[in-house]
Each structure stands twice: as structure tokens, then as C-alpha cells.
Amino acid sequence: MKRIVLAMILMLFVVVPVQAQSLPWVEVWVAVRDGWTGAPITDAQVEIPQCANLPADSCTRWGVWDGTRQVYLLKVPRLEVYDLVVSRSGYVTEMRRGTAVDAVTTWDVRLYPSQGGGIKRVYLPLVLKGDGAPPPVYNPVAAVNRLNWWRMLAGAPPVQGNLELHSNCRAHARYMVNRQTAAHTEDPNLPGYTVEGDFCGQAANLGFGVDVYPNDEGAVDALMASPFHALAALDARLVEVGFGSARLDTAWSGSYYAAALDVFHGLDYGRSVSYPWTFPGNGRSLPLLSYDGRGEPNPLTACPGYEPPTGPVLIAAFGEGLGRVAESSLLDGGTALAHCVVTADSYTNPNPELQQRGRTALWAQGAVLVIPRQPLPTGKVYVLRVLTVDNRLAVAYLYAPPAGGLAQPLNPIWMQVLKP
């Protein structure tokens, strides 16, 4: 029987005041010598291939020769497994594998001459996923870029990736796949526990899946398609984020993917925000035209008779408070579309904990969710209008491009959402 895809996207709204102590990166010193004479080789190429997709200030792809120490200097993220490739014309290329744990790791590499070249491997090969294709690599830069695309749709300023927050969330994602479960906290009595990972987990949106192979942009899409998670990630007060993902293939129980997006430790509560704002913003395209009900908390629990798929969840935010609504409308030309309105004081959920989480998220930005009863057709312009009881008005013209006309994901890589 085909394995059922499982996943979990969770959110915790309390930030624990713990100070992370991880180093975003550690140093690698590589001494390269001729294998026969022992003479230093000063014109070798020393490479960490994984750095191609990581921030340059935390991961050095090409080693830089330091004449004082007689070594090539590189940086690599702490706790990461990395490959070291050392080559020079006329010598056998040597490839090694290590894990960045110590503040400084030293390698003494001996290259041996070879007429025909060649490669000497001194590490185990990468584990490949079931169809033989390599799994996507960890790419926090791409993940942050994708998040900024979603924020652009809401008119929110872009965020920066924070190296230490990346490192923390990477540690927590690794903890989740190694434990084969999703959780906001880490048990200090279990293998793989880190203070840094626990620091991220308690303040992050989390994704977890079995036998799914999203790249990191796809994981961000899955998180953003969950409305209550999107609220925190679209907050205009957010300045920095951390993103970590991890994958684990096992011979006995399948493949696991986990992602953690820290959207709380980088909040600047002193930043001025212009309200109201909408998602999508006025004149922006709709990234999704339907909602499948897998967000957790699920806003449809407050919409009697609404069954997925419904239309996409639209947002109007008026600033901290209940956001009580006097009038709302969603127009397709001159036709009013049936829709459900969800606010901080109207959201209900049979699970009291999820109900409180949903209400807290809505109250934090005075957010109003507007959910069309049916998926929206393509190639049209829709008008969203929300008026609060204190006469604040949000209006947005939203464009649904023709089928296939979206520049970004119409169908993000979904991870089924479960209750915590």
C-alpha cells in the first residue's frame, strides 16, 4: 500500500526568553601537501560544494590561502555535515567528509601525483531517495527569498535571514527527522537535543512530512498556505527570520522531511506599521485560488457548512485588537460571492487549545479572514471590501490570472496537516 503522506504544521505564540548559544559557523583549516615530498601546495583548489547554496558569510565555498598559517581557510555552519574536495592539476583529487562541531577543525591532506588524474574518496556516499535522484539540498537563502515573495504580495517589507536563527532552526529540523515526529520542544533526555534547536522550535512554524521531497521553497509555500501561520510570517514588524530543514532516508521506515521557520525572534515591535493591510494587497495576484482545509488551526471550523475545497483565505488586518466587522463583501464583477468571515472573537474550534491559538493570532494583528465558499475561477478581477464597526475600511482589487499564468506556485508542495 502506498505510504500515506503525513505532515504537521504547528505554531506557538509564546516566545521563551532563552538565549541561543550556537555559533553560526566554525572554521576549517586545510593543509595541503605533496604526498611524496611533504612540500606545501599553495595553488590547490579547496572546495566545500554545499556552500554553493548557503550564505557566503557563514559558508565558504573556496578555501583562501593563509601564508602565515600555511593552510587554506574556510567557514562552514556549525553541526553541518560537509564535503571537502581538494584538487590540483596533475594530482589525484581527494574528497573527505566531516561534521562542523569544534571551533576549528584541521585537515592534513596529502595529494599524490597522477598521470591520468582521478579521485580518491574517503567518505561514504550520499544517501539517495527512492527513485535514485538526489534529494534537494538545504537552501535557507532560497527559503527566505520565497518568503519575501509571499510578503511582497501583502505589501510587507522584505526580511533578512539571520545566520544564528538559521543554525538554530536547522538543529531543530534535524531533531524532528531523527525523532521522526514534529514537536515544538526538544526533550533534553533524548539523543540529538540541543539548546539551540529548542530555542527555535518554541518560536517557529513547523512542517513535517513522510515520503515527501519538497525543496525549501516548497516547504515555505506549504507553511504560507496555512492561514494562521501566514499571519505571523506576513507581519510587517518582522525583520529577521531563521529557516532550517532536514531530510532523513532510512531503509526500514521511509523518508522524512522537516522544516522550521522562526518568525518570532526577529520581530521589531517598535517598527511602525501602516494599517489596514490586505493579503493579497491591492492590485496583487492571487497565489492560490482554493483552500483545502489542511491548515492547523483550521479556519473552516468557524464556518458552518463550508467544506474543502473552498476559495482561498483572504486577509484584512487592522492592527492589534478584535477587528470586529460591520460589513464585508467579495465581488466578481457585479456578483456578490458567498463568503465566511472569521475574527478573533468569532473563531471557534472543537479543540480549545487550537481555538485559543487561532484567536491569539487574529487578535495580534486585528486580522479578519474572508473565505469564499467556492474556489475562485481564473482570469478575473475580484474586489474585497471589509468595514469594521469603528469605520475602518480595507479595499483590495485582486487579480486571478488565467490558468497557467501565475509566475509562482499555484499548487505548492502540500504537507497534510495534523492536530498537535
Side-chain angles (χ1 to χ4, degrees):
M1 180 181 295
K2 185 178 180 180
R3 181 182 295 274
I4 299 174
V5 175
L6 300 178
M8 183 175 290
I9 298 177
L10 309 168
M11 182 179 288
L12 189 69
F13 296 100
V14 178
V15 177
V16 178
V18 178
Q19 294 300 312
Q21 299 173 3
S22 68
L23 289 173
W25 50 266
V26 297
E27 287 191 352
V28 178
W29 296 5
V30 184
V32 184
R33 302 178 184 278
D34 183 287
W36 297 120
T37 68
I41 298 177
T42 62
D43 58 349
Q45 286 191 330
V46 181
E47 180 188 9
I48 298 177
Q50 288 89 341
C51 293
N53 295 304
L54 296 176
D57 47 356
S58 72
C59 198
T60 307
R61 182 172 183 181
W62 301 102
V64 177
W65 174 254
D66 184 310
T68 301
R69 299 179 178 89
Q70 295 286 291
V71 296
Y72 294 86
L73 301 180
L74 303 97
K75 295 186 294 187
V76 66
R78 181 175 178 268
L79 302 179
E80 290 295 315
V81 176
Y82 63 93
D83 298 323
L84 185 71
V85 182
V86 183
S87 61
R88 185 184 184 275
S89 176
Y91 286 79
V92 177
T93 296
E94 182 157 324
M95 303 177 71
R96 298 189 180 188
R97 170 160 293 182
T99 302
V101 177
D102 299 325
V104 176
T105 299
T106 59
W107 294 94
D108 185 11
V109 178
R110 303 297 178 108
L111 296 184
Y112 290 88
S114 172
Q115 294 294 329
I119 298 176
K120 178 184 178 184
R121 302 175 188 270
V122 289
Y123 62 86
L124 296 176
L126 288 171
V127 176
L128 303 182
K129 70 187 183 72
D131 59 8
V137 298
Y138 171 50
N139 194 339
V141 174
V144 173
N145 288 341
R146 180 71 105 194
L147 174 60
N148 280 330
W149 178 80
W150 285 90
R151 287 174 63 85
M152 175 273 296
L153 291 179
V159 296
Q160 300 294 321
N162 179 290
L163 296 179
E164 187 167 359
L165 296 182
H166 284 332
S167 178
N168 298 342
C169 289
R170 175 75 155 156
H172 189 63
R174 188 180 291 109
Y175 175 88
M176 288 192 289
V177 295
N178 287 337
R179 302 304 309 169
Q180 300 175 10
T181 188
H184 278 291
T185 60
E186 298 187 11
D187 187 339
N189 297 312
L190 293 178
Y193 166 83
T194 62
V195 173
E196 299 87 352
D198 195 54
F199 182 76
C200 167
Q202 295 190 48
N205 294 344
L206 305 180
F208 182 78
V210 178
D211 284 354
V212 292
Y213 299 95
N215 57 26
D216 289 340
E217 295 106 314
V220 172
D221 292 341
L223 291 167
M224 295 301 294
S226 178
F228 286 106
H229 296 77
L231 274 172
L234 295 175
D235 194 328
R237 297 168 295 182
L238 191 60
V239 177
E240 294 182 325
V241 298
F243 178 85
S245 67
R247 298 165 179 83
L248 175 68
D249 289 327
T250 69
W252 308 108
S253 57
S255 300
Y256 298 86
Y257 173 86
L261 177 65
D262 185 336
V263 290
F264 287 98
H265 288 124
L267 283 168
D268 178 3
Y269 290 99
R271 171 180 277 192
S272 177
V273 179
S274 178
Y275 291 104
W277 58 263
T278 64
F279 176 79
N282 187 37
R284 307 286 186 177
S285 296
L286 288 156
L288 298 167
L289 302 180
S290 63
Y291 170 63
D292 71 352
R294 285 185 283 185
E296 196 69 71
N298 183 2
L300 297 185
T301 58
C303 300
Y306 278 55
E307 297 292 337
T310 64
V313 179
L314 310 176
I315 302 172
F318 295 90
E320 193 174 272
L322 293 175
R324 291 193 175 103
V325 175
E327 300 174 7
S328 65
S329 62
L330 182 63
L331 301 178
D332 171 6
T335 303
L337 301 181
H339 61 278
C340 174
V341 174
V342 180
T343 64
D345 61 348
S346 71
Y347 179 63
T348 57
N349 191 300
N351 182 319
E353 181 181 350
L354 293 179
Q355 176 174 291
Q356 186 57 48
R357 288 186 182 185
R359 290 185 174 185
T360 300
L362 293 166
W363 185 91
Q365 299 194 64
V368 176
L369 306 184
V370 176
I371 309 171
R373 186 162 196 145
Q374 301 296 330
L376 298 180
T378 61
K380 295 189 175 185
V381 175
Y382 300 92
V383 182
L384 171 67
R385 183 178 182 274
V386 179
L387 177 67
T388 65
V389 294
D390 55 356
N391 291 316
R392 289 179 292 169
L393 178 65
V395 178
Y397 290 79
L398 310 175
Y399 177 52
L406 286 172
Q408 292 282 352
L410 177 61
N411 295 303
I413 298 173
W414 286 105
M415 294 184 287
Q416 183 181 352
V417 179
L418 305 176
K419 293 181 180 180

